[in-house]
Every structure is written in C-alpha cells, then in structure tokens.
Amino acid sequence: MTSAFSRVRFVLTEPSHPGNVGSAARAVKNMGFDDLWLAAPQSSDMPQAPEAIALASGATDVLEKIQTAPELGQTLAPITLAFALTARARDLGPPACDIREAAAMAREHLQQANHRVAMVFGCERAGLTNEQVALCQRVCHIPANPAYSSLNVSQALQLVAWEMRYALIDPADRLPSTPDIKPDPGKAAASGESIQALFAHWEEALIAVKFLDPAHPKKLVPRMQHLLQRSGLSQDEVDMLRGLCTAMIKAAQQK
Amino acid sequence: MTSAFSRVRFVLTEPSHPGNVGSAARAVKNMGFDDLWLAAPQSSDMPQAPEAIALASGATDVLEKIQTAPELGQTLAPITLAFALTARARDLGPPACDIREAAAMAREHLQQANHRVAMVFGCERAGLTNEQVALCQRVCHIPANPAYSSLNVSQALQLVAWEMRYALIDPADRLPSTPDIKPDPGKAAASGESIQALFAHWEEALIAVKFLDPAHPKKLVPRMQHLLQRSGLSQDEVDMLRGLCTAMIKAAQQK
C-alpha cells in the first residue's frame, strides 16, 4: 500500500503566512508524503520566502516541488475524493466525519490504483468558504477542545498527515526496526519450565534467608510469582534471578 | 471519562527553546489538558519569556500554571503510568508501543480514579537518556517517515495530545454539535416509500423527455436508482427531485 502515499495531496487554500507553508512542507515530509499545493496563495513565491525555508527545516525538496493554482478547483482536478477540513459544523454541505474516520475512508478509497485523495485546508483567518467546501466530497473535523479549538493551519495539517500515515502504513512499520541487533536467545521469553524451576529455587532461597516461614507462608509465594509473571521474564532475567537465589542460599549457609 | 483529562500530565525534559514551551502549552490546551511540567529546564523562567507567550497564543492560563522541577523523577512522583517518547529503538528498556497504542493503554489505566498518566518528552537535541527512559513504565514511538523523522518536540507533543484526547473523549463528541440548528423534518432521511414514489415519478419523467425508451430500457433505471440511493436522500431532496419530474413532464407535454 506504500504507493498510496504518492496519491495523497495536501492543499493549502489562500495561505498568507510563508511560515505556515514551510511548516506544512515539513509535516508533509515527516509523514512520508510529498504532494503539496497552494490554491490562490497571497503570492506565488511564498515557498521561496526565507521564513518558509527556515520552517521547512530539512524538507526543502517538498518545498521546492510545491505547485500553485489560482483556484482551489484546479488543484483538485485529478482528485477522486477530497476532504474539506473545517472547524464549524455546516448546515448545508457534504457529510461530516472526524479526521480518523477520514483517514480510514481514504485508505479504503486508495485501494483502487487510479484513485486519488486530497486533504484541503482553509485560509488562516477564516477557514474555507461554503463554495470551497462544495468542491469537496466530504467535510472533516478535528475534535479539539471546544473551549479553545484554535489550531494553527500547520498544526491541523500535521494531525491530518499523521492520521493518513497511520492508516496507510503496514502495522509492522509502526515500531522502529532494530536491524543492528542480532536475535539474542537470552532476550527470548522464558519458557514455563524455566520459570517453574526459578519459582522453586526462589522459594528455597526465601526460606534460606528466613524471609519465608514454611509453617506460616501467608500468601508470599503466590504474590511473588504473580509479580514476576506479570513482567514477562526473559531467559536472561531468569538466569540472573537464579544466580541471586544461589547467592542467597550460600550466604545463609555461611552464617 | 472527562475527569481523566485532569489526570494526564505532559513533561518536557531539559527544554532549551522558550518557543517550544509556548507551543506545548497551546497544544496541551487545544486538546483539553492543562497539566504541563518542565524537568530541568534551561532556566526556570522559560514560561515567562516573550517567545513562549507569543507561541502559546491564547493558552496563557496553561503557560502560567506550568510547574518546574530540577529532576525528571520529581515530575513523575504521583504518576502511576509514564510513557517515554523516543525516536530510536532501545536495546534495553521498557516495552515499546506506538502513540495510538499508548493512548489506548492510558485510557484503560485511567479507568481507576486514582491512576495518573504522564507523557514524557526529551530535550530538543538528543531526546531522552537511557536513565530518563528507565523512570518510565513504557517507551512509545511516533512512526514517522524513516527517511525524515525529525519531528520538533512541540509537533510530537501535539500528536501525542491529540491521540490522548481522541482516546478519552466520548465518541459522540467527535463531531461539533449544532445546537443552533432546530431539527428540520425536511433534513431527515427520506423513507423507502417516498423514495419508491420518486423513482416511479422519475422514470415517468425520463420517458416523457424521451431520454428513456421503455422498449429498450437498457440499465438506465437501475443505474439512476443506484446513484440516487447511494447519496442518502433527505425528504427535502426527494421533494426537490419530484418538482423536477413534474417540470420535465410538463415541458414534454407542451411541445
């Protein structure tokens, strides 16, 4: 599904702060996308502004690839499913969803190889007009704190790009790989047999140091076992604890 | 579960840019939280720096409430489940998950009223040390683009706060409410009866304007029906289309 990333477009409508264009480029690249458009920007050289370059950080390749069109409709020409990001509920307009639902819908839509998705953001001051929303098939919301929902456009784009990425990546890629670390048998989870042997040894050691009175065991042993089991012991750790048992018993015998 | 929001703490470890502290306050408030701590900040008056105030935007209340401690451990004193955000996989350390899994775990953990969760972020340059990670019960990752994963600490916090919010809010609160809009019977979905009547009228109109030849209907009618059904018609829209049918028939008769 990796190629789906190249079929997702991000569109900033009427941006007026070059810094937001730079931050958007960074967020787009951070999340593995690269197709960023400006619809009716305040000026067509916004991506070349020093503030845009500064805030794009290392994402200058995405910044340089930015395309511009005088109207939102033109940026959506090849798009088969466009989502309009809005904060307000609209009385009339496309069906609404939140950005996680939008990402799931986009994932589904992108299964077909000629489908393309766009996420459309409004201008910094006023968001998208009803006419701009009407160019999209869906409206979507970020359910922020209702008492303080003023998300900056680049923060909103960051969240949307994240949701899209999470929906599109293989679940196996959600944790960093550790190619440098050779499989270490000691790190493997300990077997039941090895844990049972540890428990027996441990009990012996607890008795040896007179922590456990076999005549009045209370619930010490099961509580200890519960604690150790819960932590999911590796074979290395079992070996380490067995060493401790031996040391405890030896110490007690020498007294 | 709303009270769970007050039991989630965000901790910036060794922050050195006041701007990041301000952005963090804004992100914390945007997502409905208010408990932000600095562990070993470069200086204790970072929240009062002009850059912090500027980037906090309207979140000055959260900024003013920020607490500071000389060591990470102190900020975690009342915390029962702490997550360390790291970009790198660690050879030794707590079990790893991604931030969505972390949010689900936190939600579960916060079901118990005396439980408290912390999300711990490292310093801007080098992230968290192994010693700092060891103070946490879990490590968590943001699976960004491996070729360009340099997320700013405030962007990372924004994503984590979003994941926490989404996990904690009532699903009914994921879309903005529309309290000002009175229930309008016309906006309700049309009934099957009303749609069947529309289809009959529609077919009659298509025949009237000679678009549909009843002797060779091809699949025009079912295709039209499929298209109209898919869009989930409201009663208002059915009435509108019925008006169109009447107009089409009238126009054809006058010729």
Side-chain angles (χ1 to χ4, degrees):
Chain A
M1 191 92 184
T2 309
S3 79
F5 279 80
S6 65
R7 290 183 279 122
V8 176
R9 174 168 297 178
F10 295 84
V11 182
L12 300 184
T13 309
E14 300 171 27
S16 57
H17 300 304
N20 284 338
V21 174
S23 298
R26 180 176 180 173
V28 162
K29 185 168 181 182
N30 269 149
M31 294 301 148
F33 301 97
D34 65 357
D35 190 14
L36 178 59
W37 281 67
L38 309 182
Q42 196 164 66
S43 87
S44 63
D45 56 1
M46 288 178 84
Q48 287 89 53
E51 206 187 337
I53 295 167
L55 281 161
S57 208
T60 38
D61 50 344
V62 173
L63 197 66
E64 284 164 9
K65 272 188 58 182
I66 285 181
Q67 300 203 59
T68 291
E71 303 263 4
L72 176 59
Q74 292 158 314
T75 71
L76 301 180
I79 302 299
T80 49
L81 177 58
F83 292 87
L85 265 284
T86 76
R88 288 170 291 133
R90 309 268 170 158
D91 189 12
L92 188 76
C97 59
D98 69 46
I99 58 173
R100 183 155 310 165
E101 293 164 340
M105 236 180 278
R107 183 188 195 288
E108 197 59 30
H109 189 76
L110 292 165
Q111 301 277 2
Q112 204 161 312
N114 56 346
H115 279 178
R116 301 175 64 111
V117 165
M119 310 303 301
V120 179
F121 300 82
C123 83
E124 290 96 342
R125 288 172 313 284
L128 293 166
T129 64
N130 286 336
E131 292 67 33
Q132 290 164 341
V133 169
L135 296 173
C136 301
Q137 282 77 28
R138 287 283 186 285
V139 153
C140 71
H141 298 290
I142 298 176
N145 179 359
Y148 180 71
S149 61
S150 81
L151 275 170
N152 175 288
V153 66
S154 67
Q155 296 291 87
L157 190 146
Q158 176 76 70
L159 292 178
V160 170
W162 155 253
E163 286 290 337
M164 293 295 285
R165 176 173 183 79
Y166 198 92
L168 294 178
I169 55 175
D170 193 299
D173 292 332
R174 288 182 191 157
L175 293 182
S177 57
T178 51
D180 301 327
I181 300 168
K182 287 187 211 111
D184 176 344
K187 294 228 165 44
S191 67
E193 184 183 20
S194 140
I195 287 177
Q196 296 311 317
L198 165 66
F199 286 166
H201 201 175
W202 188 242
E203 191 170 343
E204 193 189 329
L206 294 183
I207 293 171
V209 297
K210 301 204 190 323
F211 176 75
L212 175 67
D213 175 1
H216 301 91
K218 298 175 190 164
K219 289 193 167 175
L220 272 178
V221 171
R223 285 172 63 201
M224 287 275 183
Q225 290 177 346
H226 179 64
L227 183 156
L228 291 170
Q229 287 287 38
R230 209 173 55 213
S231 62
L233 293 170
S234 70
Q235 188 54 49
D236 269 357
E237 291 165 334
V238 166
D239 294 344
M240 179 181 69
L241 291 170
R242 293 290 296 265
L244 172 60
C245 294
T246 302
M248 285 161 74
I249 294 166
K250 199 179 276 180
Q253 284 168 344
Q254 283 173 348
K255 266 208 174 161
Chain B
M1 190 94 183
T2 310
S3 79
F5 279 80
S6 64
R7 291 182 280 121
V8 177
R9 175 169 296 179
F10 295 84
V11 182
L12 299 184
T13 308
E14 301 170 24
S16 56
H17 299 305
N20 283 338
V21 174
S23 298
R26 179 177 182 172
V28 162
K29 185 168 180 182
N30 268 149
M31 294 300 149
F33 302 96
D34 66 356
D35 190 15
L36 177 59
W37 281 68
L38 309 182
Q42 198 165 64
S43 87
S44 61
D45 56 2
M46 288 177 84
Q48 288 88 52
E51 207 188 337
I53 294 168
L55 281 160
S57 208
T60 39
D61 50 342
V62 172
L63 197 66
E64 283 165 9
K65 272 188 59 184
I66 285 181
Q67 299 202 57
T68 291
E71 303 261 4
L72 176 59
Q74 293 158 313
T75 72
L76 301 179
I79 302 298
T80 50
L81 178 59
F83 292 87
L85 266 285
T86 76
R88 288 170 293 135
R90 309 268 171 158
D91 191 11
L92 189 76
C97 58
D98 69 45
I99 59 173
R100 183 155 307 167
E101 294 164 339
M105 236 181 277
R107 184 188 192 289
E108 196 61 29
H109 190 74
L110 290 167
Q111 302 275 1
Q112 204 161 312
N114 55 345
H115 280 177
R116 299 174 64 110
V117 165
M119 310 304 299
V120 180
F121 299 81
C123 84
E124 289 95 342
R125 289 171 312 284
L128 293 166
T129 65
N130 286 337
E131 292 68 33
Q132 289 164 341
V133 169
L135 296 173
C136 300
Q137 282 77 27
R138 288 282 186 287
V139 154
C140 71
H141 298 288
I142 297 175
N145 179 0
Y148 180 69
S149 62
S150 82
L151 275 171
N152 174 288
V153 65
S154 68
Q155 296 291 85
L157 191 146
Q158 176 76 69
L159 293 178
V160 170
W162 155 254
E163 287 289 339
M164 293 294 285
R165 176 174 185 78
Y166 198 91
L168 293 178
I169 56 174
D170 192 298
D173 293 332
R174 288 181 191 158
L175 293 182
S177 57
T178 51
D180 300 329
I181 299 167
K182 287 187 211 110
D184 175 346
K187 294 227 166 43
S191 67
E193 184 183 20
S194 138
I195 288 176
Q196 295 312 318
L198 165 65
F199 286 166
H201 202 176
W202 189 241
E203 191 170 342
E204 195 188 329
L206 295 183
I207 293 169
V209 298
K210 302 203 189 321
F211 176 76
L212 175 66
D213 175 1
H216 301 91
K218 295 175 192 164
K219 289 193 169 177
L220 272 178
V221 171
R223 285 171 66 201
M224 285 276 183
Q225 289 178 346
H226 180 63
L227 183 156
L228 290 170
Q229 287 288 37
R230 207 173 57 214
S231 63
L233 293 170
S234 70
Q235 187 53 48
D236 269 356
E237 291 165 335
V238 167
D239 294 344
M240 179 181 69
L241 292 171
R242 293 290 296 265
L244 173 60
C245 294
T246 302
M248 285 160 74
I249 293 167
K250 199 180 277 181
Q253 285 170 344
Q254 284 172 347
K255 265 205 176 167

